[in-house]
Amino acid sequence: MRSAEQRVSFEMSGLYKGIDDHALRLGMGHTWQDLFLVEQFINMGTGPDGNPLPPGGPLVDLSDSPYAFAPEKARNISHLFLQDVWSMGRIGS
């Protein structure tokens, strides 16, 4: 298997400590990925035509088939998160 990828991403977050024994982190981010030059050769499993490959057969190219491990395409991934870090008890109280 072989592939190449270009990726641009960013993330930002902020921390709020205005609640006793808590620290709240809120953040967001975005990633753009472009997966290209995907090549996959196999000699077991499902072939590019959807039929099972005979055990021990020659290598078969799955590139650009629906059975490849990942299609060549660009993806946009956005995320949000909220994290609450809290104290269960205080030492020495």
Side-chain angles (χ1 to χ4, degrees):
M1 289 189 285
R2 179 169 80 160
S3 66
E5 179 183 23
Q6 292 178 340
R7 177 186 294 216
V8 177
S9 63
F10 77 90
E11 182 175 290
M12 57 191 230
S13 66
L15 188 64
Y16 176 72
K17 293 184 176 182
I19 303 171
D20 289 343
D21 299 328
H22 289 266
L24 298 175
R25 182 176 300 278
L26 176 64
M28 61 182 263
H30 183 80
T31 300
W32 171 82
Q33 298 175 303
D34 184 15
L35 185 64
F36 59 99
L37 298 176
V38 175
E39 293 181 358
Q40 182 180 10
F41 295 88
I42 64 169
N43 66 353
M44 58 185 249
T46 304
D49 58 2
N51 293 319
L53 296 173
L59 288 176
V60 176
D61 185 5
L62 283 186
S63 308
D64 296 324
S65 81
Y67 302 100
F69 75 97
E72 292 184 358
K73 67 186 246 181
R75 295 166 176 83
N76 286 293
I77 304 165
S78 297
H79 65 275
L80 297 170
F81 63 89
L82 174 65
Q83 178 182 14
D84 181 8
V85 180
W86 51 279
S87 175
M88 291 179 62
R90 294 184 188 171
I91 297 176
S93 19

